[in-house]
Amino acid sequence: MKEVAIGIDIGGTNTVVGIVDQKGHVFASGGISTAAYDDIDDYSEALFAEIDRLVDTISDIKVLGIGIGAPNGNYYSGAIEFAPNLKFKGVVPLVEIFKRRYDYPAIALTNDANAAAIGEMIYGGAKGMKNFIMITLGTGLGSGIVINGELVYGHDGFAGELGHVIAVPNGRQCGCGRKGCLETYCSATGLTRTVSALIGSTQLPSSLRDVKASEITSKMIYEAAMEGDELAKEAFRMTAEILGKALADATAFSSPEAFFLFGGVANAGDTIIKPTKKYMEEHMLSIYRNKVQIIKSELPGAHAAVLGASSLVWKELEAAAQHA
Amino acid sequence: MKEVAIGIDIGGTNTVVGIVDQKGHVFASGGISTAAYDDIDDYSEALFAEIDRLVDTISDIKVLGIGIGAPNGNYYSGAIEFAPNLKFKGVVPLVEIFKRRYDYPAIALTNDANAAAIGEMIYGGAKGMKNFIMITLGTGLGSGIVINGELVYGHDGFAGELGHVIAVPNGRQCGCGRKGCLETYCSATGLTRTVSALIGSTQLPSSLRDVKASEITSKMIYEAAMEGDELAKEAFRMTAEILGKALADATAFSSPEAFFLFGGVANAGDTIIKPTKKYMEEHMLSIYRNKVQIIKSELPGAHAAVLGASSLVWKELEAAAQHA
């Protein structure tokens, strides 16, 4: 009998489901469209059907719980709260909805960056680490902060929004309504904005000058940088400088052993990690220097989000065992 | 038999000792000069003599431990590590030195801001709070961060240096060697620097124009502001603006229930708290708005540092009981 957890990653477009054991082996995965449903009850029914279908494909398993990563997922309330990129408006009590259908010992919800942090701790490079910070560099910048071996949720469940610390006073307009947030510079979107800005502000030669701004991707910028494109290289340097400074400030907060980088921009590997480390060290208070690592997430790309979500189950069971 | 803790606050000039019960009642207090000793052994002997003298002045007590607050005090190592303002250089294993002399169940060391945070939690306004941040506004800016009811020490014992996040890029020269650190603006010293800068940059009328820059104190600035001095009022407004923005960023990290302000500048009460709250709310990510309090520390001024130090003892005993 294999003990497994179900991981569910809810995105604005798709919802991905996976069945995972404690070592991170994914036995089955599938999914449904998120965007196709306007009503949470219809969506839930479709999701339950997909879960049941996947569970039936594997013999000899015991499901211990369901972990869900979702935008604006609040661990304390078990609800998705006012997620701007989902059609389900207001407060959606997702854990309650799941508990009406399933009676597994552990059913829990958090946001995707927090799920990635727990996933790194359970399956990835942060095994055994008690103090680290996960930085997800996707459309935006998300973060999951671990202190003394526990995810930091704060008093209201919304801690860990490092994408919205102010990196540049009166800087770029952010989707949150304010200006200069870290994620407007350090994210896949931020990187493409930096390329557009550099096309305007410099005369650096670049193949990216021949691409429509709306079609430039972080992958394209990485490939250009690899081919020696001066403008693409400068865009990575600028991103690393702002990220490095922000990580130096974050270190003054919780003094982590490591930062893990995850997602699109992190796939650039040393192209982003090496200069970020250099700028972080340069801007750090001396007592922290040469102590803090920056590491590419070790969660396997294809299943990373589902692994992160499923890891909540093992974390919940571990906490329950400690308090028993 | 009264159960008591000994609190020791080590400053660059003086060391203060107090004997305190769990309600924060100070039965006796005294102290020795710190600056008079070049050698840690001579200093320790004098301090032990003062402790023993104070213990003998009170009848019918049982001492449960010693808590020490000191600059660069590292909770994990129990040592003062490279404190720039003390004559004792390098690593001073203070807890070990104390344990050779006393066999109380709890002997612990941390820095003064962390001690103030624990003090606020045990004796002051943070009783029952699980997530809050103490900000001490003295010569510099210190901080003690509490998450899930525990002080955040980080992986190396040096977490919580919010005085050294960069508040103003390429801003004022800081004693740490970098530029624009929060404490160069938001601290007693920072406030006096702001007054000097305003004397140069504005034509605001002010009685402070008739005081030598080296003699201006934060208390003097507060008194001038209370009398309607335009320049002093502008100095408080600027301090509050920078502090409010920094607290908005800190909220994105750990989403605390409250910030407590402690020390010289905090004594200005609403003159600093009200505008800081206004700027914090203005610069905050919307999900955090109208949730986070800013509160003046409720530790009584005269004994605050000793109370903070002594509170480590109760915290240690509480942790030991939980793990027993």
Side-chain angles (χ1 to χ4, degrees), chain B residues 6-317:
Chain B
I6 295 169
I8 302 175
D9 176 62
I10 301 179
T13 311
N14 290 305
T15 297
V16 185
V17 183
I19 298 180
V20 186
D21 72 8
Q22 198 160 0
K23 290 185 171 161
H25 182 76
V26 180
F27 291 103
S29 67
I32 64 168
S33 164
T34 316
Y37 299 90
D38 295 320
D39 182 83
I40 185 67
D41 293 324
D42 296 342
Y43 168 77
S44 307
E45 282 309 317
L47 186 51
F48 296 158
E50 178 66 3
I51 290 170
D52 297 344
R53 183 187 73 77
L54 286 170
V55 169
D56 284 344
T57 63
I58 320 162
S59 57
D60 204 29
I61 56 170
K62 184 181 179 191
V63 178
L64 296 184
I66 300 176
I68 309 164
N72 289 37
N74 187 322
Y75 174 77
Y76 291 142
S77 66
I80 296 175
E81 302 186 4
F82 308 99
N85 300 324
L86 295 182
K87 288 187 177 174
F88 318 123
K89 296 302 168 200
V91 175
V92 180
L94 207 62
V95 167
E96 194 187 310
I97 291 169
F98 270 77
K99 282 188 171 169
R100 283 203 291 264
R101 172 67 178 253
Y102 300 103
D103 63 353
Y104 302 134
I107 300 181
L109 165 78
T110 190
N111 73 36
D112 42 356
N114 287 344
I118 300 175
E120 201 71 44
M121 191 160 44
I122 302 277
Y123 309 119
K127 274 179 203 155
M129 278 192 195
K130 294 286 185 195
N131 293 279
F132 71 92
I133 297 179
M134 165 66 77
I135 304 283
T136 65
L137 300 163
T139 310
L141 185 152
S143 62
I145 301 165
V146 173
I147 290 177
N148 297 333
E150 297 299 327
L151 212 290
V152 175
Y153 292 109
H155 91 285
D156 60 352
F158 288 123
E161 288 289 349
L162 298 189
H164 295 282
V165 298
I166 303 303
V168 178
N170 291 310
R172 291 182 185 163
Q173 182 64 52
C174 183
C176 78
R178 302 177 309 150
K179 283 185 175 178
C181 291
L182 184 60
E183 73 173 23
T184 65
Y185 298 87
C186 302
S187 62
T189 317
L191 184 63
T192 64
R193 290 172 81 166
T194 299
V195 164
S196 293
L198 285 170
I199 286 174
S201 66
T202 73
Q203 295 195 312
L204 291 170
S206 177
S207 61
L208 298 165
R209 292 180 182 273
D210 301 321
V211 186
K212 292 174 193 166
S214 59
E215 290 178 358
I216 295 175
T217 64
S218 60
K219 186 160 177 281
M220 212 180 274
I221 301 166
Y222 171 62
E223 285 163 358
M226 286 297 94
E227 285 165 15
D229 188 289
E230 290 299 323
L231 192 143
K233 282 160 59 183
E234 174 61 9
F236 270 102
R237 191 202 62 73
M238 287 175 66
T239 305
E241 183 173 7
I242 294 175
L243 184 58
K245 288 180 183 177
L247 300 188
D249 276 356
T251 300
F253 201 102
S254 71
S255 191
E257 188 174 343
F259 291 97
F260 286 84
L261 303 188
F262 175 95
V265 179
N267 292 333
D270 278 349
T271 304
I272 187 71
I273 289 177
K274 276 197 172 175
T276 301
K277 178 88 161 80
K278 179 178 85 97
Y279 286 111
M280 179 181 79
E281 293 290 350
E282 263 179 45
H283 289 89
M284 222 169 216
L285 190 63
S286 62
I287 53 169
Y288 302 121
R289 276 183 205 143
N290 303 312
K291 286 179 179 177
V292 187
Q293 304 175 68
I294 302 180
I295 305 170
K296 185 170 176 293
S297 166
E298 292 178 13
L299 294 177
H303 292 299
V306 153
L307 283 170
S310 71
S311 67
L312 265 85
V313 173
W314 311 116
K315 187 71 184 155
E316 286 296 290
L317 295 173

Side-chain angles (χ1 to χ4, degrees), chain A:
Chain A
M1 190 82 112
K2 296 184 280 280
E3 295 190 326
V4 297
I6 296 169
I8 301 175
D9 176 62
I10 302 179
T13 310
N14 289 307
T15 297
V16 186
V17 183
I19 298 180
V20 186
D21 72 7
Q22 198 160 2
K23 289 184 175 164
H25 181 77
V26 180
F27 290 103
S29 65
I32 63 169
S33 163
T34 316
Y37 298 90
D38 295 320
D39 182 84
I40 185 67
D41 292 325
D42 297 340
Y43 169 77
S44 307
E45 281 310 318
L47 186 51
F48 295 157
E50 178 66 2
I51 291 169
D52 296 344
R53 184 187 73 76
L54 286 171
V55 168
D56 283 344
T57 62
I58 319 161
S59 56
D60 204 29
I61 58 168
K62 184 180 178 193
V63 178
L64 296 183
I66 300 175
I68 309 163
N72 289 36
N74 186 323
Y75 173 77
Y76 291 142
S77 67
I80 296 175
E81 303 187 5
F82 308 100
N85 300 326
L86 296 182
K87 287 188 177 173
F88 318 123
K89 296 302 169 200
V91 175
V92 180
L94 206 62
V95 168
E96 195 187 309
I97 292 170
F98 269 77
K99 282 189 171 168
R100 283 203 291 263
R101 173 67 177 251
Y102 299 103
D103 62 354
Y104 301 134
I107 300 181
L109 165 77
T110 190
N111 72 37
D112 43 355
N114 287 344
I118 299 176
E120 200 73 44
M121 191 159 47
I122 301 279
Y123 308 119
K127 273 179 204 156
M129 277 192 196
K130 295 286 184 194
N131 294 280
F132 71 92
I133 297 179
M134 166 66 76
I135 303 283
T136 65
L137 299 163
T139 312
L141 184 153
S143 62
I145 301 164
V146 173
I147 289 177
N148 296 332
E150 298 298 328
L151 211 290
V152 174
Y153 291 110
H155 91 285
D156 60 352
F158 288 123
E161 289 290 348
L162 297 190
H164 295 281
V165 298
I166 303 303
V168 178
N170 290 311
R172 291 181 185 163
Q173 183 64 50
C174 183
C176 78
R178 301 176 310 150
K179 285 186 174 178
C181 290
L182 184 61
E183 75 173 22
T184 66
Y185 297 88
C186 301
S187 62
T189 317
L191 184 63
T192 63
R193 290 173 82 167
T194 299
V195 164
S196 293
L198 285 171
I199 286 174
S201 66
T202 73
Q203 295 194 312
L204 291 171
S206 177
S207 62
L208 298 166
R209 291 180 182 274
D210 301 320
V211 187
K212 292 175 193 163
S214 59
E215 290 177 358
I216 296 175
T217 64
S218 60
K219 186 159 176 282
M220 211 180 276
I221 301 166
Y222 171 63
E223 285 163 358
M226 286 298 94
E227 286 165 16
D229 189 287
E230 290 298 324
L231 191 142
K233 282 160 62 183
E234 174 61 7
F236 270 103
R237 191 203 61 74
M238 286 174 66
T239 305
E241 183 172 8
I242 294 175
L243 184 58
K245 287 179 182 179
L247 300 188
D249 275 356
T251 301
F253 201 102
S254 70
S255 193
E257 187 173 344
F259 291 97
F260 286 85
L261 303 189
F262 175 95
V265 179
N267 292 334
D270 277 350
T271 304
I272 185 71
I273 288 177
K274 275 196 173 175
T276 301
K277 178 89 161 80
K278 179 180 85 97
Y279 285 112
M280 179 181 80
E281 294 289 350
E282 263 179 44
H283 288 90
M284 222 169 217
L285 189 62
S286 61
I287 53 169
Y288 302 122
R289 278 185 204 141
N290 302 312
K291 288 179 178 176
V292 186
Q293 304 175 69
I294 302 181
I295 306 171
K296 185 169 177 290
S297 168
E298 292 178 14
L299 293 178
H303 291 300
V306 152
L307 283 171
S310 72
S311 67
L312 264 84
V313 172
W314 311 116
K315 187 72 186 155
E316 285 297 290
L317 295 173
E318 183 191 303
Q322 273 173 2
H323 290 110

